[in-house]
Amino acid sequence: HGAKQAVVSTQSTGNILPWEIFNKEQLTELLSCTPTEMLPKLCKLLPSPNTHVNLKNSIKADLYLLLLHFSQQQQFSEEQTGALVTLYQHILNMVLGGKELMDLVLETSLLLTGKKELKPGMKLDFYTPDQVSTISEYFSKGVFQHFKLYRFSMLQEQEQTIISLEKIVNTCPPQGSFDPPPLAEAISDHDIETYLNAPPPESPRSEEEIEGEEGEQGTVDLVEEPNPLISMANVQTVLDTVGNDIMDKFTKDMKNKCTEKENQYMNRLSKVKKALD
């Protein structure tokens, strides 16, 4: 296995494909992190900002996180991990470009087997046959098996709810400034005098109303003055008389009802006494 690794490293001399996305120092730092520590660093390096609200950026960061975690599990070197990240970006770009599933499978197979160059003079000759098989299986269970899901999530436009925090404040112009209202909205002097300041129109009157007014004017002098108001003493006398009448009637009614109840009780007691005797 060590001899195969040496051959692979010798063949890849001068190949810059592993450093297309991340440089060696960045890859070393990422591979030394746990997935929880790696995610925020990935978001800064990709870059993939606002993953808490941007669905596409969140998916992108998660996909690269899973890929790097896979590299950690396979104990890939920085060079092998960088080349795998470059290949993965190439595959995702094909998905974004509208390529079909068979195009992705064929392209990945040719690149991993060294039958096709990713860039002129640069092949992905960093892996042993066993590693190529493992990487192919990883792609098969991920982007190939769920191709439609990947394409939908990466091409579908996310619905956005725009929340405006703008506050409109209307202020008065400073004193002494020239800030007249628009003349197009002004009312002319002619309209003001004709419609706004004009007296209200008089409603037409019938002949009967006119004759009635003339008759009232002729009899004004004959109407006697109204009687003066009733004095407070007379009002008090009327109230006392009404109150006494009401109280007398109420007293008589109560007395009659009490007498009637008393007679009923006496009759009952007499019946009980006879029954006892």
Side-chain angles (χ1 to χ4, degrees), residues 100-161:
E100 296 298 329
L101 176 59
M102 291 306 300
D103 297 330
L104 266 68
V105 175
L106 180 60
E107 180 79 3
T108 305
S109 176
L110 293 176
L111 290 173
L112 284 175
T113 56
K115 296 180 180 179
K116 182 179 180 180
E117 297 177 347
L118 184 58
K119 288 189 176 183
M122 299 182 188
K123 296 182 179 181
L124 292 172
D125 51 358
F126 304 96
Y127 309 103
T128 64
D130 293 338
Q131 291 173 336
V132 170
S133 177
T134 304
I135 295 172
S136 299
E137 184 179 357
Y138 175 80
F139 286 153
S140 298
K141 292 181 178 180
V143 63
F144 296 159
Q145 183 175 351
H146 305 286
F147 171 73
K148 291 184 178 180
L149 176 62
Y150 275 62
R151 182 167 60 180
F152 178 82
S153 61
M154 297 177 69
L155 296 178
Q156 182 69 18
E157 291 295 331
Q158 180 181 354
E159 295 184 1
Q160 297 181 354
T161 302

Side-chain angles (χ1 to χ4, degrees), residues 182-196:
L183 296 179
E185 300 178 5
I187 302 176
S188 64
D189 294 339
H190 174 73
D191 293 341
I192 293 175
E193 295 294 335
T194 304
Y195 299 103
L196 299 182

